[in-house]
Amino acid sequence: MIRPAGGDADPNPAPARRRSRVKRLIAAVAGATMAAASLMFSGTVPAHAATTVHTYAPTGVGGGTTTSPDVASTKYQVQVAGTPVQAVKYTQNGHNFDIARFASDSRTPMITVTLPSTTIDTVNIYPARYYPSGSVSVSADKHTLTFRMSADAGLNQAIVMVNGDSTNATGQPYLAVINDPLEDPARRPNTTSAPDGSGVNLQTGVLNFQQFAAKYLAQNPNSAAQKAPAATTSSMAGKTVNGTAVPAGQKTSAGSLVSASSVNVRYPNVRTMAANDVTYALQAAIDTIKANPTALNTLYFPNGTYVWSGLLVNGLDGSKLKGGKLRIYTDEGALLKNRVQAYMEAFEPAVGIINSSNIEISGRGVFDGNGVANYNARSSGDLHDAYRSQHQGGVMVMHSSDITFNDTYVRDAKQWNYETHTASRVTFNNIKALTPYRQPWVDGTDFASGQDITANGVFTLGNDDAFASGHYNPSDGFTPLASGVWNNFQLGTSTPDVQGYVNAVGAHDTLVDELGFDNYHWDTADTKNISVSNTLNWSVAAGNAIRIGWHAYGHRLTNYTFDNFNSVSPSAGGIFTHNSPNPYARFQSIVVKNSSIDNSRFTKGPVGINGGNGSIQTITAEQQATYGYAPNPDGSGTAYTYTRVPIGTLTLDNVWFSKQSTSSSSITGVTNATLKNLRVGGQLVRYTGQFPLTTSGVSTLTSTYTDANGQTQNVKAGAPTNGDTWVGAWTGDQTKNSSSDLTLITRNTGVGLMGEQYTTGSGDGKLSYIQFPLSSLTKAPTQATLHLTYVGHRYSSVPSTDTDQLLVQPVSDTTCTGGGTSCPVNTMTWQNRPSFTATTSSVAKSATFTLGSTIVPEGGGTHQGNAIDGRDITVDITSFVQNAYAANQSTLLLAVGNAGGTNHELRFVSSEGATGSGKLTNGTAEMAPGVTVTP
């Protein structure tokens, strides 16, 4: 039944039917006022369990820095198991989140949040799947909320939204709670300082970068070390681009060092480095470790602030070091912050692991990409369109293998938060990337390409896709022959800017020289074995929960597994694959299980799977030679073809979608598709109408659910009710709406075929109204059947052998007995209900059935624990559904009564009685009213 938000039905009302309804009405009104708030009001705070809580050191304080750049939240005061934890504002580009981060030895600590200046009207905690109604308590003064982190969620994070929900993407701000596990002491290096103060301790194997950098900069100041690029002959000299000839011998301009505050600085001009910029010191430290492989293996960052071009490790094989691995460790108060990059086209990610192997990065420090300062606005920051600059993200692993990240925390990324390109055997454990701004290109995790990539424990706040994969690399838009580049410099027109174009090419070539591969070869191998688990991801703007396959460049994308993947607030789509462009990716296996997708902002179905249709794909020689497409397997470089085969396996198992979608999801081009135990709006999908789906080119589709007895059942074609109620003619019932009752009731007064014509007197007639959605129908069915589960009848004096039958007629909620034009299920009463006249030709009838021996006491809820007869009473309503479909109705509303018998008062299970915390004790989801159809 439809229920006012927050207004739970009373499971144990007074036994007398003619009792006052005042208390119940007040409860319903109060619940509606609190909206969908998941609130349980309370004047007391639950007792705290014994929990060890570790609060983190101030970010950036240490090594001479005495003040943290972090600013305390003015909205939230947070306690964890009684321990105060500071919440920090994230306000670089808007103010969408405050962050409360701590570590504890409990995965389920009690969280108390006080909002001194905010009255709490609603609270929503995400993932919503694990924080249902009643999981939050609010103090009597409505300024403090309390909840326990969910054990079922299996996550270290939760998102708290006060007076808003996931449809309100920005501007609250909301609160992110991060509950890290206590750190493993074994990961912390020996921090004993070197005896000579150099920072290089050959006995412990640790290079203390803070000490090392201080000494290095004193001996090698940036003012003496930094040089602007010299003019060099362009790689495009002597070539013609879009009709414009680049002169033979054409050189880039000679570079200049410009003020650090300059905006829109283009190569070869370079911003002047600050005196404390440790970029060069980092390279010297890495070179020192390489030069002492038998003694050194750890790069250590104590608490303090480090300003640089990012943690860039290029060309390091950790297997050659003592212990077979380079260990990088950041203390919890370390702030490793990117400068405003050297020039617009410079490549300076927050963390870049390039051409390297056997590296482990651990520690609770904060990497700050300073992305907003780099890309703030066209008037005050560098332009960053794909055709103007290199793509760069928060953490980038490129052409590297055997890399592990433990607890890595990145914020304010310039572009994608975490990404991999041609990486293998990379593991991400308990990582965080918090960039809750409308920064372009800010995906959560974007494993563009790689093999054996595992992410276990991920929390991201971003602007775009929560997860993406598919060899897509925006830097291919900044190559010499990319149309956006030469268009940007008007090549092919009467006023070409050849010098500007050549300078841009110089910026591109500089990075190619640094990386050892060009922008078309970031991703050079098939992608396989991607595993992502235990994640929470929030998106501020466009984006999908999971997007796979864009721009695969002829490579295969195989074996993706998502387990406990939780996406909040994306607006573009849910689980989505591309079969074009550039070209089809030849997917093999995609498995999503135990996950939740918040589809509250979607305008389309939450699933769009596009597989191959058996057509032929051609990869040309030019695509291979010039644009980085997957090479001909025979090594010849000549054109080749492959078949656009269907996706081999698609499995969605125990995946939860937050709301019912009126738009169909789609699955095309799949060999074996399995949908198992899907949930929509908190309800198990038992009917196809709960999860509208269109398919084509699917060889085998298996759609099942597990019933209350643990048995596997096929999802039935049809739909459950999306609203039901009963109305009563007795004077005490005439103004009552019963859409939250656990049963539906029928009793025929004899005035009218169904008793529908009764108006005055002492009659005790009752009718039920049941509504069904029709949006999942793609054509009129050949058969439609109404199913109601019989509970029992009222009077023990009526013989069990008495018989009756149901009468059903379609009605309209815009033609009402009160003379009005609106009487929907959730407000319907006897006095204001659909007006209709039943005739023998207008009604559909069930088969005759006996009343049986199950007696149900009179009253709204005293029967909650009673037995249920359990018979499935069916009525053929084929013509009703066909007519409604032909009339393009989105719903079908049915009036249900019984044929008669003076004391035949019959009860049937309602939707509320079948599911929910206050359901009938013996009710099951299968007992809810439903319509099955045969196409």
Side-chain angles (χ1 to χ4, degrees):
M1 290 182 176
I2 296 175
R3 169 201 317 185
D8 292 338
D10 184 355
N12 296 294
R17 185 175 66 81
R18 294 176 177 85
R19 66 186 174 88
S20 169
R21 307 293 184 181
V22 174
K23 289 185 178 180
R24 188 168 179 178
L25 289 173
I26 291 174
V29 171
T33 300
M34 291 313 299
S38 303
L39 298 182
M40 178 180 64
F41 286 97
S42 153
T44 61
V45 177
H48 297 296
T51 300
T52 299
V53 178
H54 172 78
T55 58
Y56 286 117
T59 299
V61 174
T65 301
T66 58
T67 303
S68 173
D70 290 347
V71 177
S73 169
T74 56
K75 184 174 182 178
Y76 300 103
Q77 298 172 358
V78 181
Q79 288 193 346
V80 180
T83 300
V85 172
Q86 186 180 77
V88 174
K89 291 182 178 180
Y90 272 36
T91 58
Q92 292 300 307
N93 184 15
H95 187 191
N96 302 323
F97 270 90
D98 291 346
I99 313 295
R101 179 187 178 218
F102 59 95
S104 80
D105 62 354
S106 171
R107 298 303 87 211
T108 59
M110 194 69 76
I111 310 296
T112 302
V113 182
T114 299
L115 297 84
S117 302
T118 301
T119 298
I120 302 172
D121 293 321
T122 66
V123 180
N124 290 279
I125 300 182
Y126 294 89
R129 176 175 190 170
Y130 302 109
Y131 294 95
S133 177
S135 62
V136 184
S137 65
V138 175
S139 62
D141 67 0
K142 298 175 70 173
H143 285 286
T144 298
L145 65 92
T146 303
F147 70 98
R148 183 179 295 280
M149 294 191 75
S150 168
D152 292 338
L155 300 172
N156 296 331
Q157 305 85 20
I159 293 173
V160 179
M161 295 188 176
V162 174
N163 300 341
D165 59 27
S166 59
T167 64
N168 312 121
T170 62
Q172 297 301 320
Y174 300 129
L175 177 69
V177 176
I178 302 175
N179 174 25
D180 287 325
L182 294 176
E183 189 173 19
D184 182 355
R187 288 180 180 161
R188 183 171 177 80
N190 186 327
T191 59
T192 304
S193 296
D196 60 0
S198 66
V200 181
N201 193 324
L202 298 177
Q203 282 69 48
T204 64
V206 176
L207 189 152
N208 181 317
F209 184 72
Q210 191 173 84
Q211 296 173 350
F212 179 90
K215 184 174 182 179
Y216 179 87
L217 289 177
Q219 298 173 348
N220 305 277
N222 291 330
S223 58
Q226 187 182 20
K227 307 295 181 184
T232 58
T233 300
S234 174
S235 62
M236 299 302 291
K239 299 179 181 179
T240 298
V241 182
N242 197 37
T244 295
V246 179
Q250 176 73 49
K251 292 186 175 183
T252 62
S253 301
S256 299
L257 297 180
V258 300
S259 167
S261 61
S262 299
V263 299
N264 290 331
V265 177
R266 296 191 178 192
Y267 182 90
N269 292 334
V270 179
R271 291 183 173 93
T272 301
M273 295 172 69
N276 66 338
D277 187 320
V278 295
T279 298
Y280 295 156
L282 172 66
Q283 187 57 54
I286 292 174
D287 289 343
T288 299
I289 293 173
K290 286 182 178 180
N292 296 273
T294 61
L296 297 176
N297 65 356
T298 300
L299 182 61
Y300 166 54
F301 294 88
N303 286 356
T305 297
Y306 307 83
V307 177
W308 56 4
S309 61
L311 176 62
L312 183 64
V313 180
N314 191 349
L316 189 148
D317 181 359
S319 68
K320 297 180 179 179
L321 305 180
K322 180 178 68 172
K325 183 184 299 184
L326 171 66
R327 302 178 187 274
I328 300 174
Y329 183 88
T330 61
D331 267 343
E332 63 183 48
L335 174 62
L336 306 103
K337 186 169 184 174
N338 278 50
R339 65 192 184 188
V340 174
Q341 62 196 40
Y343 48 88
M344 180 190 306
E345 306 91 345
F347 179 77
E348 299 183 3
V351 178
I353 308 298
I354 321 292
N355 303 314
S356 296
S357 61
N358 298 286
I359 298 174
E360 181 178 75
I361 300 177
S362 302
R364 305 290 173 95
V366 175
F367 291 90
D368 190 320
N370 205 15
V372 172
N374 275 277
Y375 300 147
N376 187 24
R378 293 182 183 273
S379 60
S380 60
D382 284 345
L383 302 178
H384 55 284
D385 310 270
Y387 62 89
R388 298 180 193 267
S389 63
Q390 307 285 354
H391 167 85
Q392 57 197 302
V395 173
M396 304 181 71
V397 182
M398 307 172 67
H399 290 232
S400 296
S401 62
D402 300 293
I403 311 296
T404 300
F405 292 84
N406 298 314
D407 308 319
T408 305
Y409 189 153
V410 181
R411 68 186 186 191
D412 195 9
K414 297 175 186 177
Q415 293 174 332
W416 298 345
N417 279 306
Y418 281 86
E419 59 188 284
T420 63
H421 301 271
T422 314
S424 59
R425 298 181 301 281
V426 181
T427 301
F428 300 93
N429 296 315
N430 188 34
I431 60 171
K432 291 157 285 288
L434 308 187
T435 309
Y437 318 123
R438 290 184 180 269
Q439 289 286 92
W441 311 100
V442 180
D443 289 356
T445 47
D446 202 315
F447 300 155
S449 68
Q451 300 180 353
D452 302 307
I453 310 294
T454 300
N456 181 20
V458 178
F459 182 38
T460 65
L461 306 176
N463 181 60
D464 209 333
D465 300 326
F467 173 89
S469 183
H471 292 69
Y472 179 48
N473 160 29
S475 270
D476 66 9
F478 190 66
T479 55
L481 294 180
S483 59
V485 176
W486 43 259
N487 272 327
N488 188 38
F489 296 100
Q490 298 84 48
L491 270 63
T493 72
S494 59
T495 57
D497 180 5
V498 173
Q499 189 63 63
Y501 172 73
V502 166
N503 288 348
V505 172
H508 168 267
D509 292 347
T510 296
L511 180 61
V512 171
D513 290 342
E514 178 183 348
L515 299 183
F517 47 87
D518 66 29
N519 289 3
Y520 281 125
H521 292 88
W522 285 22
D523 307 284
T524 61
D526 291 345
T527 292
K528 66 178 181 180
N529 301 338
I530 307 296
S531 175
V532 181
S533 59
N534 302 318
T535 74
L536 177 58
N537 316 278
W538 175 88
S539 298
V540 64
N544 300 271
I546 296 171
R547 187 180 80 162
I548 306 173
W550 181 260
H551 281 231
Y553 288 87
H555 294 283
R556 292 179 175 86
L557 304 181
T558 66
N559 300 341
Y560 287 80
T561 301
F562 303 88
D563 189 358
N564 195 20
F565 181 96
N566 302 280
S567 172
V568 177
S569 196
S571 63
I575 303 169
F576 185 60
T577 64
H578 299 267
N579 60 16
S580 64
N582 283 1
Y584 178 65
R586 292 179 282 176
F587 309 100
Q588 288 188 8
S589 174
I590 300 171
V591 176
V592 184
K593 58 185 179 180
N594 309 317
S595 298
S596 68
I597 307 292
D598 170 24
N599 60 320
S600 58
R601 297 173 67 199
F602 293 2
T603 58
K604 60 183 180 182
V607 174
I609 302 297
N610 299 288
N613 58 8
S615 61
I616 300 302
Q617 181 78 57
T618 299
I619 307 297
T620 68
E622 182 184 20
Q623 287 175 324
Q624 299 170 61
T626 306
Y627 298 106
Y629 282 58
N632 190 317
D634 67 10
S636 66
T638 60
Y640 66 98
T641 62
Y642 60 80
T643 302
R644 295 161 64 97
V645 297
I647 300 171
T649 299
L650 169 70
T651 300
L652 305 183
D653 183 358
N654 190 24
V655 179
W656 180 98
F657 301 96
S658 63
K659 74 169 188 176
Q660 180 69 59
S661 175
T662 57
S663 299
S664 291
S665 293
S666 64
I667 299 176
T668 65
V670 176
T671 302
N672 292 297
T674 300
L675 309 181
K676 180 181 179 183
N677 288 331
L678 300 187
R679 286 173 167 79
V680 174
Q683 299 299 315
L684 186 66
V685 172
R686 299 176 293 111
Y687 293 89
T688 56
Q690 295 173 268
F691 188 75
L693 178 68
T694 59
T695 63
S696 64
V698 178
S699 300
T700 301
L701 173 64
T702 303
S703 186
T704 63
Y705 68 94
T706 304
D707 67 18
N709 297 318
Q711 301 299 308
T712 298
Q713 304 287 350
N714 290 325
V715 171
K716 298 179 283 287
T721 177
N722 61 356
D724 52 12
T725 190
W726 67 270
V727 295
W730 176 71
T731 54
D733 289 335
Q734 286 190 3
T735 59
K736 171 179 172 286
N737 175 261
S738 301
S739 58
S740 60
D741 270 10
L742 305 184
T743 60
L744 301 171
I745 313 177
T746 66
R747 186 173 184 176
N748 196 328
T749 63
V751 183
L753 183 63
M754 295 171 61
E756 81 283 357
Q757 299 301 319
Y758 177 85
T759 55
T760 60
S762 59
D764 197 11
K766 295 177 176 68
L767 286 169
S768 289
Y769 290 87
I770 311 175
Q771 182 174 276
F772 295 96
L774 301 178
S775 56
S776 64
L777 294 178
T778 57
K779 65 178 182 178
T782 60
Q783 178 75 33
T785 305
L786 170 67
H787 296 260
L788 294 177
T789 302
Y790 182 52
V791 176
H793 64 106
R794 175 176 174 180
Y795 295 105
S796 59
S797 59
V798 175
S800 62
T801 54
D802 268 17
T803 62
D804 209 330
Q805 62 185 150
L806 292 185
L807 306 180
V808 179
Q809 179 162 323
V811 295
S812 169
D813 63 5
T814 60
T815 303
C816 309
T817 56
T821 58
S822 178
C823 46
V825 168
N826 63 331
T827 62
M828 191 182 296
T829 65
W830 185 270
Q831 292 181 349
N832 188 39
R833 59 185 171 83
S835 176
F836 69 100
T837 299
T839 67
T840 55
S841 61
S842 67
V843 300
K845 300 179 180 180
S846 73
T848 300
F849 58 93
T850 61
L851 269 58
S853 58
T854 302
I855 305 301
V856 185
E858 190 278 339
T862 55
H863 53 277
Q864 185 174 28
N866 281 39
I868 295 174
D869 179 289
R871 278 178 283 170
D872 180 21
I873 309 301
T874 63
V875 183
D876 187 330
I877 59 169
T878 303
S879 63
F880 300 161
V881 176
Q882 289 174 340
N883 293 338
Y885 180 82
N888 200 31
Q889 292 178 212
S890 60
T891 59
L892 174 64
L893 180 61
L894 300 173
V896 180
N898 60 305
T902 303
N903 291 319
H904 287 193
E905 182 170 310
L906 312 182
R907 288 185 184 260
F908 302 86
V909 178
S910 72
S911 55
E912 288 284 344
T915 61
S917 58
K919 72 178 184 67
L920 295 168
T921 303
N922 297 302
T924 65
E926 289 76 19
M927 295 179 178
V931 170
T932 58
V933 300
T934 301

